[in-house]
Amino acid sequence: METTRRTIAIGTLATAAVLLVGCTSGGADAGGEGSPTPSPSASVTLTATPTPTPNPSVSAEAAELPIPPDEITEWAKTAVPGSKDEAYAAGFSGWMSASSAAHHTTDLTSMEPGSYQAQLACRGDGTITLIAGELTDEPGTPVTAAPGSAEPIACTNSTIAFDITTAETGMRIELDLDGAPTIYAVSVLRVS
């Protein structure tokens, strides 16, 4: 019985090998007009290339954004001051969602101490909260917030300007999302 199973397995593999010899990939160079015809003795090498499986939740979240993710960088250039501004010190943009990235931290390690004016623009149905502080601060500790307020900056489908003052080199900017997927752009301009 064992010999029969081996014979069947070997026969199946041999049949598959014979069938594969005549296969082509169907691409532009695979036997189409103007391409060489493979010889009957040509060997076939099969290479399995894994196809990345799209994450359905990220795709669904991206579909909820006001613009496609690959257009966010261009939008940011018009939403907040950019590198063409003489006082421009730093900036970044992107999108956030509850399951893929509800928290984002950017450390600007070489930012000189001083006074800055920052802008946060956000679009979408979520609320992004921003806290800016020193690199040495505990995460979530604001150095400054909205003028006259001790609360973090909260952005819901708007653009907000605010001041940041640091006494040490470096700055940390933290973003937190509450709600639906939302795009953002942050720009920091040197005041003094």
Side-chain angles (χ1 to χ4, degrees), residues 60-66 95-98 123-126 177 179-183:
E61 290 170 347
E64 292 181 47
L65 295 172
W95 66 281
M96 301 178 78
S97 69
R123 302 292 183 270
D125 294 329
L177 173 71
T182 301
I183 64 173

Side-chain angles (χ1 to χ4, degrees), residues 8-187:
I8 292 172
I10 291 170
T12 303
L13 289 173
T15 303
V18 169
L19 291 174
L20 287 175
V21 170
C23 290
T24 61
S25 68
D29 294 327
E33 187 175 317
S35 66
T37 305
S39 68
S41 62
S43 65
V44 175
T45 303
L46 298 177
T47 305
T49 305
T51 303
T53 306
N55 183 337
S57 65
V58 171
S59 298
E61 290 170 347
E64 292 181 47
L65 295 172
I67 62 174
D70 59 348
E71 294 177 16
I72 293 173
T73 302
E74 286 303 311
W75 163 79
K77 291 176 183 177
T78 61
V80 296
S83 59
K84 293 182 180 178
D85 191 300
E86 248 181 66
Y88 181 82
F92 55 94
S93 61
W95 66 281
M96 301 178 78
S97 69
S99 65
S100 64
H103 179 80
H104 175 83
T105 300
T106 297
D107 287 340
L108 305 168
T109 57
S110 61
M111 187 77 76
E112 294 178 11
S115 297
Y116 296 89
Q117 199 228 14
Q119 287 190 26
L120 167 64
C122 66
R123 302 292 183 270
D125 294 329
T127 298
I128 293 179
T129 303
L130 180 145
I131 295 174
E134 307 275 358
L135 286 177
T136 56
D137 289 340
E138 289 294 319
T141 305
V143 163
T144 186
S149 169
E151 298 297 316
I153 304 298
C155 179
T156 305
N157 225 0
S158 60
T159 302
I160 301 170
F162 55 97
D163 297 322
I164 301 173
T165 303
T166 58
E168 300 174 15
T169 299
M171 180 187 298
R172 174 172 289 140
I173 299 176
E174 297 178 59
L175 302 174
D176 285 292
L177 173 71
D178 182 30
T182 301
I183 64 173
Y184 66 86
V186 175
S187 178

